Amino acid sequence: MSRIIAVANQKGGVGKTTTTINLSACLAEKSKNILTIDIDPQGNTTSGLGVDKNVVENTVYELFLEECSLEECIQSSVMEGLSVIPSNINLSGAEIELISMENKEYFLKNKLDEIKNNYDFIIIDCPPSLNLLTVNAMVAADTVLVPIQCEYYALEGLSQLMHTIDLIKERLNPKLEIEGVVFTMYDARTNLSSQVVQNVKENLNKKIYKTIIPRNVRLAEAPSYGMPINLYDSRSAGAEAYRYLAEEVIEREDEDQWL
Ligand SMILES: Nc1ncnc2c1ncn2[C@@H]1O[C@H](COP(=O)(O)OP(=O)(O)OP(=O)(O)O)[C@@H](O)[C@H]1O
Ligand SMILES: [Mg+2]
């Protein structure tokens, strides 16, 4: 059974895109068939997977405006078994255009229903806001994966995020679950990182992955080469961590708990 995962946190720069790119790629490396969807106008997931966001004709924006079909906007990426629906700056105006549409919260869900079963996982990278695009992702998704950066303000905004997830579950998507919380940019040299992990564990009553993503410069470099970490530096600490995360994500699927 396929699973649709929205990677969301309205806080900026916490590792959503890095997690989307590398979790997708590490799942594809394990022979899973993956579709990654970029719904952030920044288009960083698009370029990080080797798709030139400035030349693609059909993006998630054209899809939303029904100017192209789903098939027309699915691109192949640098990795076998990993396809991408790209995004670029055009999407920044989409919210205003979407607002007048009927069923505007269900737009992505209705599209993905057609193709969901062609993939093992569909992973959606959300923008750093709880806007209509993010709502579309959460309505289409089975689960939400929440990256949390190991920094002093880690808990800030989380209750708002959890409240939004609860609201969407209540009103728009009753089957929505939390996929899990993953700590990112963990710095083993500082006490702060381990304090943040401890603090979030104690205060946030949610499933937290055993895998913790370290701060690793190779993870920051890889996107400028248009490659996920397992292609850019397969033996780096970052690649190892995202492989473990992919295993955890797959193991949870085997338990059938969200089907
Ligand atoms: N584990 C890591 N180690 C080192 N650098 C990282 C790591 N994770 C992310 N980064 C870097 O931190 C910055 C923010 O990461 P990323 O773009 O993944 O966050 P984001 O939540 O998607 O941001 P936005 O909210 O703008 O979409 C990027 O420059 C990225 O390369
Ligand atoms: Mg991002």
Side-chain angles (χ1 to χ4, degrees):
M1 275 295 280
S2 60
R3 186 152 97 234
I4 304 182
I5 303 175
V7 179
N9 186 337
Q10 79 279 17
K11 200 162 194 188
V14 297
K16 294 181 287 296
T17 298
T18 306
T19 297
T20 301
I21 292 172
N22 296 307
L23 174 62
S24 299
C26 289
L27 287 168
E29 190 180 74
K30 293 178 196 299
S31 301
K32 300 291 179 188
N33 201 17
I34 309 298
L35 175 65
T36 304
I37 306 179
D38 192 355
I39 60 157
D40 186 346
Q42 297 180 94
N44 294 338
T45 288
T46 303
S47 47
L49 286 169
V51 176
D52 189 342
K53 64 185 174 194
N54 299 311
V55 304
V56 282
E57 276 180 25
N58 295 318
T59 69
V60 75
Y61 175 70
E62 279 75 20
L63 183 70
F64 275 173
L65 295 193
E66 312 232 32
E67 286 172 7
C68 74
S69 69
L70 199 50
E71 287 72 25
E72 282 169 331
C73 68
I74 297 177
Q75 311 262 328
S76 49
S77 75
V78 279
M79 271 201 80
E80 209 183 307
L82 201 176
S83 303
V84 186
I85 297 184
S87 158
N88 61 27
I89 191 72
N90 294 344
L91 188 63
S92 55
E95 194 162 7
I96 296 163
E97 288 168 282
L98 280 173
I99 211 99
S100 58
M101 284 180 172
E102 233 173 275
N103 295 327
K104 54 185 181 289
E105 297 93 351
Y106 293 91
F107 198 84
L108 190 60
K109 179 192 165 40
N110 291 340
K111 290 284 168 197
L112 294 186
D113 278 347
E114 295 169 30
I115 53 152
K116 181 174 179 184
N117 290 329
N118 300 349
Y119 298 94
D120 296 307
F121 292 94
I122 299 179
I123 305 192
I124 310 171
D125 185 23
C126 295
S129 107
L130 295 172
N131 63 11
L132 187 53
L133 294 169
T134 301
V135 169
N136 259 272
M138 288 185 182
V139 170
D142 299 301
T143 61
V144 183
L145 194 159
V146 181
I148 295 183
Q149 185 180 348
C150 296
E151 49 133 27
Y152 185 67
Y153 295 108
L155 277 168
E156 200 174 76
L158 274 181
S159 59
Q160 203 186 355
L161 176 63
M162 296 307 162
H163 180 61
T164 302
I165 294 171
D166 286 343
L167 275 184
I168 288 179
K169 192 174 157 81
E170 215 176 283
R171 301 190 186 160
L172 299 166
N173 180 8
K175 68 180 189 329
L176 188 66
E177 298 287 343
I178 302 271
E179 171 76 34
V181 169
V182 62
F183 288 106
T184 65
M185 298 183 238
Y186 185 90
D187 190 343
R189 294 167 307 180
T190 68
N191 288 331
L192 178 63
S193 278
S194 64
Q195 281 166 9
V196 169
V197 169
Q198 210 43 47
N199 188 17
V200 174
K201 256 190 197 167
E202 283 164 13
N203 288 286
L204 186 80
N205 190 19
K206 302 287 175 203
K207 287 172 277 189
I208 297 175
Y209 290 110
K210 288 194 208 91
T211 306
I212 295 182
I213 309 298
R215 187 172 277 285
N216 176 231
V217 68
R218 308 301 266 170
L219 284 170
E221 290 166 3
S224 58
Y225 296 88
M227 281 188 229
I229 192 66
N230 50 349
L231 292 190
Y232 177 66
D233 187 348
S234 178
R235 303 181 68 177
S236 62
E240 285 302 307
Y242 277 108
R243 281 195 190 100
Y244 282 126
L245 183 65
E247 265 167 39
E248 282 199 78
V249 168
I250 291 171
E251 276 165 22
R252 292 191 167 207
E253 186 188 44
D254 288 345
E255 289 172 19
D256 275 2
Q257 56 180 311
W258 291 296
L259 306 178

